[in-house]
Amino acid sequence: LSQDLGREPNRSELAEELDVTPQEVADAGSAYGSFSPTSLDQPVNADGASHLSDLLPDDDTDAHASEARLLLAPALRKLSDRDRRILYLRYCEDRTQQEIGEDIGVTQMQVSRTLTRILRDLRTELEVA
């Protein structure tokens, strides 16, 4: 089209030639270069102290957490509902042993002993796996 016109075509001319709308030509133009990767060394702030790579998550941490969940899930399923509830209250809701005891109707000491037993059983189960 540039050769036929003797100049660069405008958006309307391109749209007519391609049988698309001018907006589609604009969208295609704005997508140009979007498939070029950005350097991980690109600064992300004005002083250049931080780079794009600094913002990426640590894959090792994610991999270890995923592996731990995969290993732990079958062991947790073997626990009683009460034991799972105690673990949930302690580690998901961050409740104290006293609060857990009040919730399930036992003393803080019983919660402590129960948690010790549950964790010991989980460790044993994971060592076998």
Side-chain angles (χ1 to χ4, degrees):
L1 191 55
S2 295
Q3 290 177 351
D4 290 343
L5 295 173
R7 60 176 171 73
E8 290 294 316
N10 63 35
R11 187 181 300 165
S12 298
E13 293 166 333
L14 278 173
E16 185 177 327
E17 180 70 21
L18 296 171
D19 195 29
V20 297
T21 67
Q23 183 59 47
E24 290 173 306
V25 172
D27 291 343
S30 66
Y32 179 75
S34 65
F35 299 105
S36 300
T38 301
S39 171
L40 295 177
D41 292 326
Q42 176 181 339
V44 291
N45 54 16
D47 65 5
S50 296
H51 297 93
L52 189 57
S53 62
D54 298 332
L55 302 175
L56 297 175
D58 181 9
D59 290 337
D60 288 343
T61 302
D62 294 341
H64 292 301
S66 294
E67 183 180 356
R69 282 191 295 275
L70 286 172
L71 292 172
L72 196 54
L76 289 172
R77 281 193 291 272
K78 291 180 181 180
L79 295 176
S80 69
D81 290 342
R82 181 176 181 262
D83 287 354
R84 276 197 305 272
R85 173 139 179 88
I86 290 170
L87 285 178
Y88 177 80
L89 293 172
R90 180 68 188 105
Y91 296 105
C92 295
E93 291 192 5
D94 200 29
R95 299 236 197 129
T96 65
Q97 292 178 0
Q98 182 67 38
E99 292 170 330
I100 295 168
E102 291 168 3
D103 185 274
I104 64 172
V106 297
T107 66
Q108 177 273 325
M109 182 57 73
Q110 289 171 305
V111 171
S112 176
R113 289 178 182 149
T114 303
L115 279 169
T116 299
R117 178 191 50 80
I118 293 169
L119 295 175
R120 183 188 65 239
D121 291 348
L122 287 174
R123 280 189 203 98
T124 302
E125 184 70 31
L126 291 175
E127 287 171 0
V128 172

